[in-house]
Each structure stands twice: as structure tokens, then as C-alpha cells.
Amino acid sequence: MNKAYLLTGGNTGNRRAHLHQAIELINQFCGQVLKQSSLFETGAWGNTKQASFLNQALLVSTTLTPDELMLKLLFLEENMGRVRLEKFGPRIIDIDILLYNREVFHSELVTIPHAELANRRFALIPLIEIAPRAKHPVLKKSIQQLLKECSDELSVKKIS
């Protein structure tokens, strides 16, 4: 079995319900969600003139390869109503693969570890909660160390 760390997020509609629905769909189509972080309210990254996001990290046990998993996640996003109109724009759901086992993987579909993981507090903080000993397989640093070094100043507040 493979262990994938995912980050879910969204800033439109009933954000909490959308994250819950994403967990149900991931369980149904991708593997078993073993752990989930608290919910975190975060400022919008990239395009800051929009509503704040709810984000949650998940640990998923899966038999899928990184490409297979990414294809399923994109299908789930579309199934939930995500429409990609603008980069960093508002969205009902976003599901990213942050880490996959301890692997480094790159294809046309996905880069693992996530290319921006070390630069985003809204990903690092929930990830630390469910994977305190995880290490970035390229930078060879703990997630905790990456958070200490992260220059991102957006607000990340635990809400549950």
C-alpha cells in the first residue's frame, strides 16, 4: 500500500461540507483516508482579493500510482463542480498531492513532492498535524523545519 498526503481546500459555497464530501469521494474512489487534520481557515494565496479558504490535510492509503491518483483527484474535483477559470481563482474544491510515500516523482500530470509545499504555510501547518515526522524527500528537511523557514505570511487559523 502507498501512503499519500493530500491537501484539500476550497473557498466557495459551504466550504466545510465540500471538504467532507471530498473525504467521502476519496474513500470511495482513491483509497482509505487514515488521518485527517483539523480544518484551517487561510487567506487566499496568489490572488488575495477573494474569500478565505478552508484547508485540511489527509493521509490516504492507496493502491494507485501517483498519476492514477492525480487523475482520480481531478475527476473528483470536476465531479464536485470545480471549473478552472483563472489561476489562483475561487474554487469549490482543490485537491493536491503533497507527498507520496517518500518518493520523488515527476510526470506531465503531477510533481511530487508538491512543487510549492515548502513555500505555503496553509499546506505545511495542517500537514504537520498528521505527519509530524515527515520529511521533504528533495530538500531533506522535516516539515517542521520547512515551516520555520517559510517566508509565507498569510494567516492560517485552526478552526476545529
Side-chain angles (χ1 to χ4, degrees):
M1 263 320 169
N2 301 298
K3 294 203 186 291
Y5 289 95
L6 310 180
L7 184 72
T8 60
N11 71 337
T12 63
N14 187 335
R15 301 172 305 166
R16 189 181 297 256
H18 295 153
L19 295 186
H20 181 72
Q21 182 184 7
I23 290 171
E24 289 177 353
L25 291 171
I26 290 165
N27 274 323
Q28 186 176 353
F29 293 101
C30 302
Q32 182 182 4
V33 175
L34 301 175
K35 289 184 182 178
Q36 52 191 291
S37 74
S38 301
L39 297 178
F40 291 86
E41 185 153 25
T42 65
W45 195 92
N47 175 3
T48 58
K49 292 185 174 38
Q50 59 182 308
S52 61
F53 281 74
L54 279 190
N55 290 105
Q56 184 174 43
L58 307 172
L59 169 59
V60 177
S61 176
T62 184
T63 59
L64 301 174
T65 67
D67 277 339
E68 292 169 338
L69 179 58
M70 193 69 242
L71 282 171
K72 294 270 186 186
L73 296 175
L74 291 169
F75 169 77
L76 297 181
E77 288 179 350
E78 187 178 324
N79 189 326
M80 289 181 65
R82 175 154 185 197
V83 179
R84 295 173 189 270
L85 297 174
E86 64 179 292
K87 189 169 183 156
F88 303 125
R91 63 205 82 148
I92 192 167
I93 192 69
D94 185 37
I95 310 171
D96 291 325
I97 303 172
L98 300 178
L99 300 168
Y100 182 93
N101 296 327
R102 292 184 173 105
E103 295 179 24
V104 175
F105 181 85
H106 179 75
S107 72
E108 288 184 22
L109 202 55
V110 65
T111 297
I112 299 170
H114 190 286
E116 293 296 324
L117 175 59
N119 302 316
R120 296 180 175 172
R121 292 180 71 233
F122 68 85
L124 294 167
I125 291 171
L127 183 57
I128 286 170
E129 193 175 277
I130 63 169
R133 294 187 195 102
K135 290 202 178 208
H136 193 289
V138 174
L139 301 175
K140 308 294 187 207
K141 295 180 180 182
S142 71
I143 302 304
Q144 192 79 281
Q145 185 63 36
L146 292 176
L147 180 60
K148 286 179 188 171
E149 297 172 1
C150 185
S151 61
D152 177 11
E153 296 180 356
L154 285 178
S155 170
V156 179
K157 285 188 328 195
K158 185 176 182 175
I159 63 167
S160 70

